[in-house]
Amino acid sequence: MSKPKKPATIVAAAHPELDPAYGSVGPAIWPTDTFEWASPDDKPAFDYSRTVNPNRAMLVRTLAELEGAVGGVVTNSGQAAALLALLRLPTGARVVAPHDCYGGTYRLLEAIERQGKIRCSFVDLTNDEAFDAALQDQLALLWIETPSNPLMRITDIRRRASAGKGRGALTIADNTLASPLRQRPLDLGCDLVLHSTTKILNGHADLFGGALLASDPALVEELEWWSNAAGLNGSAFDSSQIVRGLRTLPLRLDRQEASAARIAEWLSQKPEVQAVYFPGLSSSKAAEIVALQQSGPGFMLSFELRGGKPSADRFVAALDLITLASSLGGFSTLICTPSTMTHRGMSPDAQREAGIAPDLLRMSVGLEDADDLIADLARGFSTLGS
Ligand SMILES: *Cc1c(COP(=O)(O)O)cnc(C)c1O
């Protein structure tokens, strides 16, 4: 085996199976549904695109290389990847998930639990007591999401995955926020890594996609089987677009992260702000764990105003450049109020328990000039009085 390449090289060098017809450098796209057989007994490597497709295979290889996985599956959304992780569980399996996980993950787990298919405990994974209590019984799946969304809480991946293993659990980490360039959960003892490629990996806010990667070949095979059986796989065209997005991931992430760090610092000086949540702030209690498992703070931050929902509403209405929308990782800066947008599926009680206040604002920092972003935020603050 050759020495693992650096991420920038992996994404720049991700070539397709060499184009036999024209030798094109830019990858071709194979949107075909099916492939020709030479004879009835010779199944070709690529036979039907729901099962296997060259563009999807290329994306899987690139993502696996970035995450240090042996392989995995590329799905048609992040949620399809989450569903895939749950499909393989037997009826009655116990799952432990973070109480402040991605809203769509929470909704899916809770609905499947209500149907009686799994038993799920939502716990604060940053709290040792709560975590130990949830680990009393045998466990099938431990779900980790760090930094968490929207509060950027940090879970110690190595410690939690090792405790989960002690209870017989596989551990899955949703690595969407950090990206494989800042955190590699498989290296820290996780069995599965989930991505919404819709976000920073594609980076251009123009498609949906997901991925589930694993380090155990038998697990990869099982995921491939279920994804084909359930029809969750992503399309050739989307896969090709995501590879295109990955080419600039290292550059985009460096820039977006640097701007996020400046903005977080600036926000933390504002008297109108109660709290700033950003993994890179030195005041962060979790800074030690961040230093152990992340090679950078990422491009996401949240901050809490004073004055409840009216403050948040006034603030976002005054913004000119930053868009009120509920996604993340794209080229333009988005802001949202998680309590009424991304996390509206959580009951008010569940939101309170997870610390999602009505005046909490979440930002995905994009590629604009940081000075212009700060000037726009200043417009928001000018509506608050003091
Ligand atoms: C967006 C997101 C998902 C779901 O992905 P989709 O592509 O929207 O289905 C899962 N986890 C996290 C952390 C996300 O941000």
Side-chain angles (χ1 to χ4, degrees):
M1 276 253 291
S2 59
K3 194 160 166 278
K5 295 193 279 290
K6 296 270 197 323
T9 308
I10 294 171
V11 296
H15 279 294
E17 347 298 315
L18 277 186
D19 167 10
Y22 303 107
S24 64
V25 172
I29 306 177
W30 288 274
T32 183
D33 61 342
T34 195
F35 298 82
E36 189 180 13
W37 293 47
S39 81
D41 299 317
D42 293 324
K43 190 170 106 53
F46 294 96
D47 59 344
Y48 188 62
S49 275
R50 171 163 40 68
T51 320
V52 273
N53 175 277
N55 292 104
R56 210 166 53 233
M58 179 180 170
L59 176 57
V60 168
R61 271 205 312 275
T62 309
L63 292 175
E65 212 174 334
L66 289 172
E67 284 287 5
V70 298
V73 163
V74 159
T75 56
N76 53 46
S77 72
Q79 285 312 106
L83 180 62
L84 177 59
L86 300 175
L87 271 180
R88 52 174 295 285
L89 296 178
T91 303
R94 267 198 82 231
V95 178
V96 166
H99 68 149
D100 57 347
C101 62
Y102 176 71
T105 305
Y106 186 92
R107 181 173 52 205
L108 180 63
L109 285 167
E110 209 199 20
I112 294 179
E113 179 179 42
R114 248 186 285 116
Q115 291 180 312
K117 291 179 181 146
I118 58 168
R119 290 173 300 144
C120 188
S121 318
F122 293 98
V123 303
D124 180 353
L125 287 188
T126 66
N127 178 320
D128 285 341
E129 256 170 61
F131 180 74
D132 291 344
L135 242 64
Q136 293 306 309
D137 294 331
Q138 280 299 107
L139 193 62
L141 188 66
L142 170 61
W143 199 290
I144 291 178
E145 187 184 324
T146 182
S148 77
N149 169 25
L151 287 166
M152 311 299 136
R153 290 204 178 104
I154 302 296
T155 296
D156 186 331
I157 299 178
R158 196 184 283 282
R159 262 183 73 211
R160 294 303 186 228
S162 149
K165 197 156 278 173
R167 286 284 166 197
L170 290 192
T171 303
I172 179 170
D174 184 334
N175 203 27
T176 300
L177 261 62
S179 94
L181 270 58
R182 295 294 182 262
Q183 177 170 276
R184 298 220 315 179
L186 298 178
D187 294 347
L188 299 164
C190 291
D191 303 282
L192 291 162
V193 180
L194 182 145
H195 279 287
S196 166
T197 56
T198 311
K199 313 292 169 57
I200 190 85
L201 297 185
N202 179 56
H204 290 71
D206 54 4
L207 57 78
F208 273 91
L212 199 54
L213 305 152
S215 47
D216 170 10
L219 190 51
V220 170
E221 212 173 299
E222 202 187 332
L223 298 175
E224 287 170 348
W225 189 92
W226 275 106
S227 192
N228 176 53
L232 303 178
N233 285 332
S235 75
F237 188 73
D238 287 347
S239 299
S240 150
Q241 287 292 97
I242 296 164
V243 169
R244 190 183 202 271
L246 285 175
R247 307 278 188 207
T248 55
L249 174 64
L251 295 170
R252 288 185 285 108
L253 187 55
D254 284 352
R255 167 68 176 264
Q256 291 173 235
E257 185 174 63
S259 297
R262 259 195 71 194
I263 291 168
E265 204 55 63
W266 183 80
L267 286 170
S268 62
Q269 310 295 326
K270 285 272 163 197
E272 300 92 332
V273 172
Q274 244 188 86
V276 180
Y277 305 100
F278 180 62
L281 282 185
S282 50
S283 59
S284 159
K285 275 185 299 200
E288 263 171 61
I289 309 171
V290 171
L292 281 177
Q293 66 191 24
Q294 282 183 235
S295 56
F299 58 93
M300 293 290 295
L301 61 92
S302 296
F303 58 103
E304 205 176 319
L305 299 173
R306 302 173 198 279
K309 183 167 163 45
S311 290
D313 289 349
R314 277 209 302 280
F315 189 94
V316 298
L319 300 175
D320 211 25
L321 175 64
I322 301 170
T323 306
L324 181 67
S326 65
S327 190
L328 57 97
F331 53 85
S332 67
T333 298
L334 307 181
I335 198 164
C336 76
T337 54
S339 70
T340 64
M341 296 173 69
T342 49
H343 289 64
R344 67 178 178 280
M346 286 171 84
S347 69
D349 276 351
Q351 284 195 6
R352 208 170 307 117
E353 209 170 301
I356 299 171
D359 50 9
L360 179 74
L361 296 171
R362 186 192 81 181
M363 266 178 85
S364 169
V365 178
L367 290 166
E368 304 90 340
D369 189 285
D371 289 336
D372 289 333
L373 291 171
I374 286 174
D376 202 37
L377 291 169
R379 272 189 279 278
F381 283 114
S382 72
T383 65
L384 298 183
S386 52

